[in-house]
Every structure is written in C-alpha cells, then in structure tokens.
Amino acid sequence: MRDVRSSVSELYRSGETFAVATVVDTYKSAPRDAGAAMLVNASGEVTGSVSGGCVEGAVYEEALEAIRTGVPVRRTYGVSDEDAFSVGLTCGGTLHLFIEPVSRETYAQLGSVLGAIDEHQPVAVATIVSDPSDAGRVGRRRVVWPGHAEGDLGEGCERLAAALDDDVRGMLAQGSTGLLHYGTDGQRRGDELEVFVQSFAPAPRMLVFGAIDFAAAVADLGTYLGYRVTVCDARPVFATPKRFPTAEEVVVKWPHVFLDEIADEIDQRTAICVLTHDPKFDVPVLKRALTTRAGYIGAMGSRRTHEDRLERLREAGVDEEALERLHSPIGLDLGARTPEETAVSIAAELVQTRWGGSGRALRETSGRIHRDTPSAPLIPAGFGQAKR
C-alpha cells in the first residue's frame, strides 16, 4: 500500500468508499512483488499498478464490483493464451490478488496505520484473504504493532488471533510481507485459511556524506528507491536543505562525529555512501562505518584514490575483513560521467547488492530474471515474502 498511500489517505479522510487490489502472492516471473497495490475510487479513477498493465483491465472491473457489492474477492491470474486480448500474464508467472472495498466502516484502523507509516513507526496488517469454512471471515483483519494489536477476526477466533499476533510480530521485525497459512481454528499446521501480512517497518536509511553535486543526485534516487535520506557535511555553506530538497534531513557536522552519534540506529538495511573525496573526511567516517551493521558501504573516488584510501584505513587500524565490505570505487561500471549518471550507477549497485544480480546485461544471462529472495539483507521496508 505504500505506493498508493497518499491517495488512500486522501480518500479515507473524505469518507468515500474505494477499492484496493493488492498482490498477495506470486509464482515465477510475476511483474510485481507481494504488497504492490492498485486503487480505484468510486468515480473510476485509478492509482498504482499490480502487474505493469497485463491484468489491470480485469482488476479494474473487479474493483468496481467490490465497491458496488461491498464484498472482497481473491483472484488468480496466470499465463494468457494466444489471444492478444486475453486476460493473463505474458511473462509466464502467476499473480494472486485480493480486491477489497475500503471505507471508514470496513477498515476502522486504517487512519492509525497511515499515521504509523508517516511517523516511521512499525506496523503490520494481517488480512484473511481465503477461508473455505467461513466466507464471512474473508476481509477481516488484525492490525499489529510491536506492543499491541487491534481487529476482530470473528466469533471464536481467539486462538487464531493469538497465533497471528505472534507470527506477524516476527514478520514485522524482519520487514517481511507475504502469506501465512493456518487451520480454521488457528492451528499452525493447517493450510485451509490464508492470511496476507503486509509489514510497514520504518523505511531504510541512506546516509550520504559529502554535500556535493553527486550527493544531490544520489539523494534524489535514494528517495525514489524508498530510503530516508540524510545528507551530512561539516561545511554549512554547502550542507543546506535548499541544495538537497529531496533529503529528509541535512546535517552540518563532521561525518564521523554524526555517524558515531547514530551508530545504534544503523541496521542491515542501511546504505552509507561516502562522497567526500577528502581523506580528512572519508577515512574517519569509513573507519567508523565499517564497524556498523550497515548492509552497504560505498565510497567514491578513482582507482588511485581507492588504493590510497585503503592504505590510510589500514594505517588507521582497519583489518582486511572489514575492508572487504567496502564498495569502492562506488557503483557499477556503466561508463557514467555526470552526477545523475553516477547516481544511477550507485543505485544499480544497491539493487544488485539487495538481490544478488550479476550486473551484466540481461541479454547476456540465462535463467529467471526475478529472484525470489534477497542475497543480502539490504531490503527496503515492506518488501519481501514470507510463506508458511
């Protein structure tokens, strides 16, 4: 729901009933991951996408029907046949969707969920999307925070609610999204009842050190990729919000001092980009960065700068194992020259680090294009899959 959050918030405040179609599961080369959403309002306007265009027409009609009837539905779309106008996925995958009407009456906790997301507070929503024994429970949900949970799953569902609360908190801690399966009475060994869990953990952080033109472009792309971007530089004349309008915050401090102050907040989803080009800045901050849990640490510079930087870091006491974590020179080899092109190169390496791609042209590779699980823990919040 992150991708349509602003539209959801606006419609919810207005009191209008609208429909949200959410990807709850995928198989093989589906175009969107679990959690991707498409919104349709009562007047027929569309926001978001669930398949990149393959099945949107059919989903649109289902969404309008859900608004009209007030009944949620689960739909599956597989491979289309030879008819160019048939409904299905041309990529060969399978997409499972849950389409539900949303209003203040059907989703009383949505305002609290949206508020938690805006305030970067962790929250997860667990929705029953299939229940062969009781169709009336489909669409019921639990909203789970680390310390409490809300939502009525129906009469006699206390055992299911207790199991869900425990399991969903585990998924929320990992920022994972996907389907859980239970027996109709909440037994963990059962598989009759499907519950879709969407986690909204706080967005991962990107720390950009060095208030230069390249940093502005990196901050723009970092924000686009879903990071909360902080730009830090010790020079107040350069480190200004006006120069970095897409960054969440701009900090005027020595980079290593600021990093030391927030070291406890850094987790494996954090990306650190050191773009300072100056040993008196980058060596102290890299020395500290390499002791953190950050999933990505990159530093800009030529190969000569890189070799000099490595020697300075060794002299500062950084061991070889720690130096292996350093992505330097930063980015993938795209032949980038401008700040914007260089930012694309860095963003490409972030994606590669997250999913374990080869970095080669797809036409030079074989096998599946989309990977099921990340190879490293650099995972933007609210993404990923969990299956039981």
Side-chain angles (χ1 to χ4, degrees):
M1 189 173 61
R2 285 184 184 275
D3 44 356
V4 296
R5 187 177 81 238
S6 60
S7 296
V8 167
S9 181
E10 181 180 344
L11 289 171
Y12 190 73
R13 286 197 306 267
S14 74
E16 179 180 327
T17 297
F18 54 97
V20 175
T22 305
V23 178
V24 298
D25 199 14
T26 63
Y27 178 69
K28 291 188 176 180
S29 296
R32 299 296 306 275
D33 288 331
M38 185 177 93
L39 179 151
V40 179
N41 67 17
S43 61
E45 295 179 348
V46 177
T47 305
S49 170
V50 291
S51 73
C54 297
V55 301
E56 261 72 4
V59 175
Y60 176 77
E61 296 298 331
E62 293 280 8
L64 291 177
E65 183 68 5
I67 294 173
R68 187 185 69 81
T69 64
V71 178
V73 294
R74 190 189 190 285
R75 292 288 183 261
T76 297
Y77 298 94
V79 182
S80 60
D81 60 29
E82 296 179 357
D83 179 359
F85 294 99
S86 66
V87 176
L89 303 177
T90 58
C91 59
T94 302
L95 204 61
H96 301 272
L97 299 174
F98 185 66
I99 306 161
E100 60 180 324
V102 177
S103 67
R104 292 181 179 178
E105 290 70 31
T106 63
Y107 198 161
Q109 304 91 354
L110 181 55
S112 298
V113 172
L114 294 170
I117 295 172
D118 290 340
E119 295 169 8
H120 306 299
Q121 299 298 316
V123 64
V125 180
T127 306
I128 298 175
V129 297
S130 178
D131 185 355
S133 68
D134 187 353
R137 290 200 292 192
V138 174
R140 289 181 177 268
R141 61 176 59 83
R142 294 279 285 176
V143 178
V144 181
W145 288 267
H148 71 288
E150 300 176 6
D152 180 14
L153 298 180
E155 186 177 353
C157 291
E158 293 79 9
R159 183 178 176 184
L160 174 60
L164 258 182
D165 291 355
D166 286 343
D167 294 344
V168 170
R169 286 195 177 98
M171 294 178 67
L172 180 58
Q174 299 178 15
S176 58
T177 287
L179 281 176
L180 296 178
H181 295 83
Y182 297 91
T184 55
D185 292 323
Q187 307 96 319
R188 285 189 170 90
R189 291 187 178 181
D191 60 3
E192 301 95 337
L193 187 148
E194 286 185 315
V195 181
F196 176 65
V197 179
Q198 188 163 19
S199 294
F200 300 100
R205 300 191 67 176
M206 175 182 284
L207 306 175
V208 181
F209 294 103
I212 61 177
D213 290 345
F214 288 91
V218 170
D220 289 346
L221 269 185
T223 299
Y224 182 77
L225 289 176
Y227 289 92
R228 292 187 293 136
V229 179
T230 296
V231 176
C232 176
D233 197 297
R235 302 166 297 176
V237 67
F238 296 111
T240 65
K242 185 176 181 180
R243 296 190 68 223
F244 303 95
T246 61
E248 183 172 284
E249 63 175 347
V250 179
V251 176
V252 180
K253 281 186 180 179
W254 278 78
H256 70 284
V257 172
F258 175 66
L259 187 59
D260 194 57
E261 291 175 352
I262 65 167
D264 291 342
E265 304 172 17
I266 294 174
D267 61 22
Q268 293 178 317
R269 301 178 303 141
T270 303
I272 297 176
C273 301
V274 177
L275 314 179
T276 48
H277 276 306
D278 189 332
K280 70 176 179 290
F281 289 110
D282 59 19
V283 171
V285 73
L286 284 171
K287 180 181 177 181
R288 185 65 178 96
L290 291 169
T291 68
T292 69
R293 296 180 296 159
Y296 177 90
I297 303 169
M300 180 179 285
S302 66
R303 299 192 187 280
R304 175 182 291 182
T305 298
H306 169 65
E307 293 301 325
D308 177 70
R309 181 187 292 130
L310 289 180
E311 286 305 311
R312 291 174 183 268
L313 287 168
R314 292 186 182 103
E315 292 171 2
V318 180
D319 61 35
E320 296 301 319
E321 183 178 358
L323 291 177
E324 285 295 318
R325 298 178 58 200
L326 181 60
H327 294 259
S328 177
I330 196 170
L332 296 187
D333 180 14
L334 304 182
R337 294 178 179 271
T338 68
E340 292 76 18
E341 290 175 346
T342 302
V344 170
S345 168
I346 295 170
E349 188 171 50
L350 283 169
V351 174
Q352 182 204 30
T353 301
R354 174 188 170 196
W355 292 108
S358 67
R360 297 164 55 199
L362 286 172
R363 66 180 181 179
E364 298 175 358
T365 64
S366 60
R368 293 180 58 187
I369 293 175
H370 304 294
R371 298 168 187 259
D372 284 333
T373 56
S375 63
L378 194 68
I379 310 168
F383 292 85
Q385 297 181 8
K387 298 181 181 178
R388 187 177 298 278

